[in-house]
Amino acid sequence: MKALTIKDIARLSGVGISTVSRAINNDPRINAKTKAHVLDVVQKYHYVPNDTARALQATETNTVGILVSGMDNIFFQRMYHNFEEDFESRGYNCVTHAVENGEELVDTAMKLERERRLKGIVFLGGKLTPPYEPYQNLLVPHVCCTVAHDIEEPLTTFYAVSVDDEKEGKKATEYLIGKGHRKIAIITGRADDRTVGAQRLKGYKAALKAHRIPVDEDRIQFMDPNIAEYTAENGYESAKELLARTRDFTALFCISDVIAFGASRAIYEAGLSIPEDISLMGFDGMWIGEYMKPALTTVAQPLDVLTHKAVDMLIAQLEGEDAPKQVTYDTLLIERDSVKDISKKK
């Protein structure tokens, strides 16, 4: 009978080769329960470690990968720096990889995991669509940071950190209601979107319902399916379509700041002003919104907190510590100049 290899032990144990190596070499970073399981398999099959395991340990890198969907999105730019600083301060190198449109996220992750000998992976941005089972084939710990998911399929099997898009969409809309607005329009995701757009739209509708304001379908504008999502161009074209259909609204909630940037141009080209004619509300808290004219009121995602927590989650897994699987944070309302208070209007 052919002698078993470390790959055979990994397969029989249901873990990665690096995990077997850590168990055999008494690496303190491995979870105690996992270590005991692997060593039981080693003993059961009378596996005798050879230089392969020690060679593997010697060539292992201390590198984690950041897989970014939407590399050009300015929303993520500060997060790259945060990840690099956080991981390096904890003794890990960090490599960033842009996921191109059309790439299968899980396939890209598995390829990068293998080629770069990653210790762990952070998925930043983008969408995970069911079925989620293929992600179980990843051999290293992974965390989702601000990753969108199907409105009916939460990422309960993943370690994930994010904001609650439905709750925060409601918060943004209720801010406008608190300023006296009852005729509130929204630019949301594509009509077939079941992720972020659907969740923030659901929050918008919930806010109206809570304040006994009828939902007017004419005031709901979906992003143009023929233009890249979450771009100023899409915001511009979507706002033009909305304004061509109806101007019977005093406030416009855009589900991202970038959409609001484009929408502002369409509003001005229609001969209207912000906030005198239409109040404008964004979502995300991008720094560039401060330099719009007028400066954009928005709800800001806590980027620093999100990145720090994602790092903590991943390292906890790497070091065999307990970590919560799902963590959500509140947004922060940033009041600037693009929303007019009409609550005392006679």
Side-chain angles (χ1 to χ4, degrees):
M1 180 178 175
K2 184 180 177 182
L4 291 177
T5 68
I6 193 172
K7 291 183 180 179
D8 296 320
I9 297 299
R11 175 177 54 79
L12 292 165
S13 302
V15 299
I17 296 174
S18 60
T19 301
V20 175
S21 175
R22 292 190 189 114
I24 292 170
N25 290 282
N26 199 29
D27 191 317
R29 292 171 295 178
I30 189 171
N31 178 278
K33 186 176 180 180
T34 303
K35 177 183 174 182
H37 169 64
V38 172
L39 293 180
D40 282 345
V41 174
V42 168
Q43 185 176 15
K44 178 180 178 181
Y45 289 94
H46 307 290
Y47 171 66
V48 179
N50 54 28
D51 289 340
T52 303
R54 286 182 286 277
L56 174 65
Q57 185 185 38
T59 59
E60 276 191 314
T61 66
N62 228 26
T63 302
V64 297
I66 312 297
L67 269 65
V68 186
S69 299
M71 193 77 170
D72 295 332
N73 191 335
I74 60 175
F75 175 69
F76 295 130
Q77 288 178 359
R78 193 170 82 208
M79 300 179 83
Y80 307 148
H81 178 69
N82 285 350
F83 277 123
E84 289 176 0
E85 273 199 342
D86 272 16
F87 278 120
E88 286 177 6
S89 70
R90 307 281 285 273
Y92 291 86
N93 299 316
C94 189
V95 59
T96 302
H97 178 85
V99 179
E100 303 296 335
N101 288 335
E103 278 189 88
E104 284 292 336
L105 188 57
V106 67
D107 292 342
T108 302
M110 293 177 72
K111 180 181 178 184
L112 197 65
E113 169 192 78
R114 182 175 61 253
E115 292 179 351
R116 302 299 295 266
R117 304 186 65 80
L118 298 179
K119 283 287 187 67
I121 293 171
V122 174
F123 294 107
L124 179 59
K127 302 175 184 178
L128 291 189
T129 54
Y132 297 142
E133 286 77 13
Y135 289 87
Q136 296 175 6
N137 293 324
L138 287 170
L139 301 177
V140 298
H142 44 282
V143 172
C144 297
C145 183
T146 66
V147 174
H149 61 83
D150 189 291
I151 195 168
E152 301 296 336
E153 297 283 348
L155 302 177
T156 52
T157 59
F158 292 81
Y159 286 86
V161 56
S162 64
V163 300
D164 183 328
D165 287 296
E166 180 181 340
K167 174 185 172 182
E168 301 306 330
K170 182 180 180 184
K171 177 194 289 185
T173 307
E174 288 190 323
Y175 170 77
L176 294 172
I177 294 171
K179 293 298 182 181
H181 297 276
R182 294 295 181 271
K183 298 180 179 180
I184 303 171
I186 183 173
I187 298 179
T188 186
R190 294 175 178 173
D192 61 353
D193 178 36
R194 292 177 54 83
T195 58
V196 172
Q199 291 159 7
R200 294 179 187 173
L201 176 61
K202 189 175 180 180
Y204 159 86
K205 290 181 176 180
L208 297 182
K209 182 178 179 180
H211 292 268
R212 299 182 179 180
I213 301 172
V215 174
D216 186 338
E217 296 295 332
D218 276 348
R219 296 184 185 132
I220 298 175
Q221 178 63 45
F222 296 102
M223 288 186 202
D224 190 323
N226 300 310
I227 302 174
E229 294 179 279
Y230 298 97
T231 60
E233 181 186 6
N234 207 320
Y236 172 68
E237 294 295 342
S238 296
K240 279 184 22 177
E241 185 176 337
L242 171 66
L243 290 164
R245 183 172 66 251
T246 181
R247 297 192 179 187
D248 187 25
F249 57 93
T250 61
L252 174 59
F253 170 36
C254 297
I255 68 162
S256 86
D257 289 348
V258 173
I259 292 296
F261 300 158
S264 66
R265 176 181 170 183
I267 291 169
Y268 288 128
E269 286 185 357
L272 303 170
S273 62
I274 304 170
E276 286 76 16
D277 297 314
I278 296 177
S279 290
L280 188 62
M281 181 88 184
F283 192 114
D284 283 334
M286 293 184 180
W287 61 267
I288 199 170
E290 186 177 351
Y291 297 94
M292 281 181 60
K293 189 175 180 180
L296 182 66
T297 294
T298 184
V299 286
Q301 297 200 49
L303 301 188
D304 294 343
V305 175
L306 291 169
T307 52
H308 295 332
K309 189 61 180 179
V311 171
D312 285 344
M313 277 185 168
L314 189 63
I315 291 180
Q317 293 180 74
L318 289 169
E319 298 181 351
E321 300 173 357
D322 290 332
K325 269 207 155 184
Q326 308 285 312
V327 179
T328 58
Y329 291 96
D330 293 336
T331 60
L332 174 67
L333 177 66
I334 299 179
E335 292 187 272
R336 295 192 181 118
D337 306 319
S338 64
V339 173
K340 182 179 180 179
D341 188 343
I342 62 172
S343 61
K344 299 177 182 177
K345 185 178 180 181
K346 295 181 179 179

